[in-house]
Amino acid sequence: MAETLSPCAPRGQCQANMGANTSSATVDTNASSVLVGSSTWRAREPFSIFTILILTLLVLLTVATFLWNLLVLVTILRVKAFHRVPHNLVASTAVSDVLVAALVMPLSLVKELSAGRRWRLGRELCLVWVCFDVLCCTASIWNVTAIALDRYWSITRHLEYTLLTRRRISNVMIVLTWVLSAAISLAPLFGWGETYSPEQERCQVSQEPSYTIVSTGGAFYLPLCVVLFVYWKIY
């Protein structure tokens, strides 16, 4: 009766099946451990050569931007012949570019080095980084626009655009440039959109549609149209 009700008959075949199942389970366990080990090794895998090359170029670009614009500022300050228009506009442009190289680009490199390009430096530093990014880039663009306007007026209104008038207008344009840039960069701090997401560890310029339209229009498209129109009139 026991032999009839046994699911494994004969007993040798049952023992063979049990041995096969045990060996297959062992193989599965070893395979899973190999997979886990390989995934852990891949997670700890160092940067590729291409990534190291890109990071090296970005570091060199940051250093070159800082040193070049710093050299421009030192030259303008030391040479008295440069203490006039339009070199004050050039100096304002160099200041904005120095700030980009000193405050914006290093933090951008830190973000690039983090896994998944996540921001892990906190909310306060995120706000500082985004504000200086928008401020300095916008100021640099508007300084170039001011230089274009200064050249246009010096050519088309040569008799009226005297040195004294040119100096006053250039100083006004520099002040307006930085005030407009500060207004665009500081707007998210007063509730116009959000720049930091702690859940996703994301730090970026405010994606509020209305702010995007105003900031891109005021920081790029409007000065672009002015520069294109001015240089078209000059040529």
Side-chain angles (χ1 to χ4, degrees), residues 100-132:
V100 169
L103 301 177
V104 178
M105 298 177 73
L107 293 178
S108 300
L109 286 175
V110 174
K111 182 180 178 181
E112 291 292 329
L113 288 172
S114 64
R117 295 181 178 179
R118 296 181 179 180
W119 185 267
R120 299 178 181 178
L121 301 178
R123 177 183 179 85
E124 290 75 14
L125 199 56
C126 170
L127 296 177
V128 172
W129 176 62
V130 172
C131 287
F132 272 103

Side-chain angles (χ1 to χ4, degrees), residues 131 134-143 145 172-188 192 211 214-223 226:
C131 287
V134 177
L135 171 67
C136 299
C137 293
T138 305
S140 179
I141 294 173
W142 274 109
N143 280 317
T145 307
V172 171
M173 287 193 296
I174 290 175
V175 172
L176 291 178
T177 291
W178 287 97
V179 169
L180 177 62
S181 303
I184 294 176
S185 63
L186 296 177
W192 202 356
Y211 177 78
V214 173
S215 61
T216 54
F220 180 75
Y221 290 107
L222 180 58
V226 173

Side-chain angles (χ1 to χ4, degrees), residues 32-88:
S32 61
S33 62
V34 170
L35 291 175
V36 172
S38 61
S39 62
T40 305
W41 181 84
R42 290 178 182 177
R44 298 179 181 178
E45 186 178 2
F47 295 112
S48 62
I49 298 178
F50 179 75
T51 303
I52 295 176
L53 179 61
I54 294 297
L55 292 177
T56 303
L57 292 177
L58 291 177
V59 171
L60 293 177
L61 179 62
T62 302
V63 175
T65 302
F66 179 80
L67 294 179
W68 177 263
N69 289 280
L70 187 62
L71 180 62
V72 171
L73 288 176
V74 172
T75 303
I76 294 176
L77 292 176
R78 291 181 60 88
V79 180
K80 293 183 179 180
F82 291 159
H83 294 178
R84 58 183 178 84
V85 179
H87 294 93
N88 57 346

Side-chain angles (χ1 to χ4, degrees), residues 119 123 194-203:
W119 185 267
R123 177 183 179 85
E194 183 60 47
T195 59
Y196 179 69
S197 175
E199 295 81 8
Q200 301 177 357
E201 293 183 337
R202 183 182 60 187
C203 180

Side-chain angles (χ1 to χ4, degrees), residues 83-85 88 161-172:
H83 294 178
R84 58 183 178 84
V85 179
N88 57 346
Y161 202 55
T162 61
L163 181 60
L164 181 59
T165 303
R166 194 177 184 185
R167 186 182 300 277
R168 291 177 179 175
I169 293 179
S170 64
N171 291 333
V172 171

